[in-house]
Amino acid sequence: MYKKKIKGITLLETMISLGIMGIFLLLSFPVMKIIYKTENFFVSERNSARNSSRIIEIIEKDIKESCFGNKEYIGKEYLSNGKEIFENLGYIRNPLREEFFKAKIEKGNMLFLEIPFVKDNTVLSKYIIYRFYTGSLQIMECSLFNGNIFVENTENILEEVDGYFERDKNGIIVNLQIRNSKEKIKKTLKGYELIGKKYE
C-alpha cells in the first residue's frame, strides 16, 4: 500500500521567512518615521495658520471696540482714541509712566488698547497690551489704580511667530509671520477711528 507524504514547513523555511520579514520591517521603520514626521509638520503648520488667523480676528475685534472710557490715567492724553503703537523689547516697568505713552510710534511690536464696557449700568474699562516678543505673541492684562496703569498678567497666546503693528491712513495693520513657514498673515482693519466713541 502506497503512503502519501505529508508536506509541512521546515524549521529552515520558517527561519528564512522570519529573517526576510525582519529585514522588511527594519527597512520600513525609517520610511514610516519620515512619513509620520512629515504629516505632523503639515498638521502643525495648518493648525498654526488657523490659530494665527483666529487670534488676529480677536485683536481686530479689540481694536474695533477700543476707545476712551470715562476714567483718567497718566499718559491717556498721548493715545489716539484709546489705542496706540509702541516699541518695547525688554522689561516693562510698573506702573506705565508718562514716558512710556509719549514714546508712541507708527510701527512697533506692541499695541496698547483701552476697551470700555458696561457692567451693572456702570462704564468700566479693561486695558490690554498685545506684544510680539522673542518669537511669541503676548497678551498683557492691565489694571487702573490711583491714576496709573499696571501690568498684572502676561501670557503667551501664540508661539513661533514674528510680527508688528503699523498705523496707516486706513487704521492699524496687524502683520504676522509664522516661523518655519512661507505663509504670512497680514490683516488690515479699516476705519476703526469711526467705530470708537467716547463713553460718558
Side-chain angles (χ1 to χ4, degrees):
M1 191 174 185
Y2 174 74
K3 278 194 174 180
K4 204 174 184 182
K5 278 190 177 179
I6 299 171
K7 287 194 172 184
I9 299 172
T10 65
L11 180 60
L12 182 61
E13 289 171 331
T14 305
M15 296 296 288
I16 291 170
S17 299
L18 288 173
I20 291 170
M21 284 175 54
I23 291 168
F24 175 76
L25 288 172
L26 282 173
L27 293 174
S28 64
F29 275 133
V31 175
M32 288 169 60
K33 194 173 180 182
I34 290 168
I35 291 169
Y36 177 74
K37 281 187 174 180
T38 305
E39 184 182 351
N40 275 353
F41 172 77
F42 284 115
V43 168
S44 176
E45 289 267 300
R46 193 167 55 248
N47 289 341
S48 293
R50 192 181 300 120
N51 291 342
S52 301
S53 295
R54 177 70 185 122
I55 285 171
I56 286 182
E57 286 172 12
I58 292 168
I59 295 173
E60 286 183 340
K61 181 177 176 289
D62 285 345
I63 293 172
K64 281 182 184 178
E65 294 177 354
S66 67
C67 60
F68 287 129
N70 56 9
K71 300 289 185 184
E72 295 300 319
Y73 51 89
I74 292 172
K76 182 174 182 174
E77 63 269 26
Y78 301 104
L79 300 179
S80 173
N81 204 15
K83 58 188 74 65
E84 204 57 70
I85 298 170
F86 303 93
E87 182 74 19
N88 186 289
L89 300 173
Y91 177 73
I92 297 176
R93 290 175 57 194
N94 261 332
L96 302 181
R97 304 187 183 279
E98 187 176 7
E99 298 80 45
F100 172 88
F101 290 102
K102 280 171 84 171
K104 61 183 183 178
I105 54 177
E106 296 299 306
K107 178 179 174 181
N109 72 322
M110 189 161 63
L111 178 67
F112 177 91
L113 301 171
E114 176 182 355
I115 306 172
F117 63 97
V118 178
K119 183 178 180 183
D120 298 329
N121 295 322
T122 304
V123 177
L124 304 170
S125 286
K126 61 179 179 178
Y127 308 92
I128 295 174
I129 295 173
Y130 289 103
R131 178 169 77 155
F132 290 101
Y133 183 64
T134 61
S136 300
L137 176 58
Q138 297 178 332
I139 183 170
M140 301 178 188
E141 296 172 345
C142 306
S143 63
L144 175 62
F145 181 72
N146 282 345
N148 290 289
I149 300 289
F150 289 84
V151 177
E152 286 195 335
N153 185 37
T154 301
E155 184 180 345
N156 289 349
I157 55 175
L158 203 56
E159 301 287 350
E160 300 296 319
V161 295
D162 297 303
Y164 60 86
F165 303 98
E166 183 176 17
R167 182 189 295 278
D168 71 1
K169 61 182 182 180
N170 296 319
I172 290 177
I173 298 169
V174 183
N175 190 312
L176 182 146
Q177 181 175 0
I178 303 168
R179 289 189 173 189
N180 302 322
S181 172
K182 294 177 183 176
E183 183 171 4
K184 289 184 181 179
I185 299 172
K186 185 175 181 180
K187 293 249 185 159
T188 306
L189 180 64
K190 296 181 179 180
Y192 67 86
E193 296 289 358
L194 300 174
I195 295 168
K197 62 180 185 294
K198 186 178 173 78
Y199 281 74
E200 300 294 347

